[in-house]
Amino acid sequence: MRPTVILLLSSFTAHALGAPYIISDTVAGPTFFDFFDFQAIPDPTHGRVNYVDQATAMAQNLTFAGHTSSIIRADFKTVLDPNGPGRNSVRIRSKKTYTTHVAVFDVRHMPQGCGTWPAIWETKESVWPNGGEIDIVEGVNDQSPNAATLHTNEGCTMPAYRDQTGTSGQNDCNWLVNFNTGCGVKFPTTNSYGPPFNGNGGGWYVLGYAVERAPTYIKVFFWPRDSRFVPHEVTHGGIIIDTDNWGTPIAFFPDTSCDMAQHFSEHNIIINLTFCGDWAGNVYDQSGCPGTCVDFVNNNPSAFANAYFDFSSIRVYRYAFRSTIITEGLT
Ligand SMILES: *[C@@H]1O[C@H](CO)[C@@H](O)[C@H](O)[C@H]1NC(C)=O
Ligand SMILES: *[C@@H]1O[C@H](CO)[C@@H](O)[C@H](O)[C@H]1NC(C)=O
């Protein structure tokens, strides 16, 4: 009967706070990968990658779930046949979907190396671009800082000035504008991505996705590992969290000129690591990396020894109206 106690407790706290979210899923430890499906699919972004299934990933130790650390990596041992498939890697997608929720990613290390293109993101692939896409962590070829980006169908734009610490790029989120650039916000510090992120012990990325209640918005927060400002409920994996208490986000996507409920649906959480392809390949020349991207990926397996994610945990919280909580608590 413990769940009942927790629910009643949270309804009490819900009363005291503004807009709390309650823990739904704690993804950590040996069962980390139970939360996901492995997607052994062709890369939609044309990368030099071969996404493997779960059995292969486990056999090759590309995925490994320990007690304090869950690893997702690419192969770093094999020289590739230039006419054969790309470098073995992993793409996983949450079995569950979420509408209004908060996702807290405690990341200790992210893939680094020339040609790498890692991402932590959300979308509903079967209806894309309807339903929207949110890139929480994404970058290529070790180029810091991180950027958070929305991609939508037509009719969703962001105001030029808004309450965030990051720097906006394009403000039209429409995927048809500028080859699906999306509306992105660059993070203010280099320790938000790649080698500087890893050198600093990682950090916490948090997505606040409030798309079906008023006010609707999308927010992305980030705290580096050594931050003095990271909320206690984030570091300690609280049962209840409230993004309203965390101050100015790094990226703020308000509903001023974007009907969130219309442009954003339920989402899966997706984690992928590809190489080269439409983005990392196209800008490879400008990133100070040697040779050409595909040759580099084919011929230098040891350059990918650090091409791995290490998650301490992922926690997903759902929004619950106070009345809902009480109803659940009593039944
Ligand atoms: C990986 O993630 C990005 C999201 O940032 C997405 O655009 C891309 O299609 C994904 N690549 C693969 C291979 O799934
Ligand atoms: C698999 O990977 C984990 C995490 O990197 C590592 O601790 C472990 O020793 C590896 N196992 C083998 C058999 O290589």
Side-chain angles (χ1 to χ4, degrees):
M1 290 295 100
R2 229 164 95 228
T4 308
V5 174
I6 290 170
L7 286 164
L8 286 170
L9 176 67
S10 55
S11 74
F12 180 76
T13 313
H15 190 60
L17 300 173
Y21 292 76
I22 296 167
I23 189 75
S24 166
D25 297 282
T26 298
V27 188
T31 60
F32 184 90
F33 291 101
D34 294 354
F35 183 72
F36 296 99
D37 288 319
F38 283 61
Q39 298 182 285
I41 57 168
D43 180 359
T45 51
H46 314 107
R48 185 69 184 132
V49 76
N50 180 42
Y51 286 128
V52 300
D53 60 22
Q54 183 160 14
T56 308
M58 288 175 67
Q60 299 185 359
N61 208 26
L62 302 183
T63 52
F64 176 85
H67 282 282
T68 56
S69 151
S70 301
I71 306 288
I72 300 161
R73 65 155 64 250
D75 166 75
F76 61 99
K77 293 176 181 163
T78 314
V79 174
L80 303 181
D81 173 353
N83 302 312
R87 187 159 294 286
N88 282 358
S89 184
V90 174
R91 187 188 210 257
I92 54 176
R93 185 174 73 186
S94 65
K95 293 173 180 164
K96 289 190 183 178
T97 57
Y98 303 92
T99 50
T100 290
H101 69 287
V102 173
V104 180
F105 300 89
D106 184 343
V107 185
R108 303 206 302 199
H109 187 282
M110 72 167 68
Q112 69 176 68
C114 283
T116 54
W117 174 3
I120 301 174
W121 57 299
E122 293 196 355
T123 194
K124 177 79 178 164
E125 290 184 284
S126 57
V127 301
W128 194 95
N130 303 325
E133 168 183 336
I134 307 170
D135 304 326
I136 302 154
V137 177
E138 195 181 19
V140 294
N141 302 320
D142 289 348
Q143 302 294 297
S144 303
N146 187 48
T149 307
L150 308 188
H151 303 266
T152 65
N153 57 18
E154 215 174 338
C156 173
T157 61
M158 290 298 131
Y161 298 99
R162 47 201 213 255
D163 194 15
Q164 61 183 16
T165 59
T167 308
S168 309
Q170 175 176 300
N171 283 321
D172 193 339
C173 310
N174 181 1
W175 74 289
L176 292 170
V177 173
N178 280 325
F179 307 98
N180 193 22
T181 297
C183 51
V185 175
K186 268 195 181 169
F187 286 31
T189 58
T190 55
N191 61 14
S192 58
Y193 187 83
F197 173 88
N198 294 334
N200 197 38
W204 295 266
Y205 299 94
V206 182
L207 169 69
Y209 185 67
V211 295
E212 46 163 29
R213 65 175 180 93
T216 60
Y217 58 75
I218 294 165
K219 292 178 181 177
V220 179
F221 297 86
F222 170 72
W223 294 277
R225 187 67 65 199
D226 57 357
S227 170
R228 288 183 292 122
F229 303 108
V230 51
H232 185 264
E233 65 214 64
V234 170
T235 49
H236 290 77
I239 291 170
I240 296 166
I241 62 173
D242 188 353
T243 54
D244 288 352
N245 296 336
W246 299 350
T248 308
I250 291 205
F252 180 48
F253 302 100
D255 59 6
T256 324
S257 48
C258 180
D259 182 337
M260 295 279 168
Q262 186 193 327
H263 291 281
F264 291 91
S265 66
E266 56 176 10
H267 279 173
N268 296 94
I269 296 168
I270 307 178
I271 299 167
N272 61 357
L273 167 58
T274 189
F275 302 97
C276 309
D278 295 344
W279 185 11
N282 291 353
V283 300
Y284 188 81
D285 287 355
Q286 300 135 52
S287 53
C289 286
T292 65
C293 194
V294 169
D295 284 350
F296 186 77
V297 170
N298 287 348
N299 296 319
N300 297 285
S302 62
F304 302 98
N306 288 317
Y308 67 91
F309 284 105
D310 180 348
F311 286 91
S312 289
S313 64
I314 301 171
R315 288 191 165 82
V316 188
Y317 297 79
R318 289 193 212 248
Y319 182 67
F321 292 98
R322 184 167 169 265
S323 55
T324 313
I325 303 164
I326 288 172
T327 309
E328 282 180 21
L330 294 179
T331 49

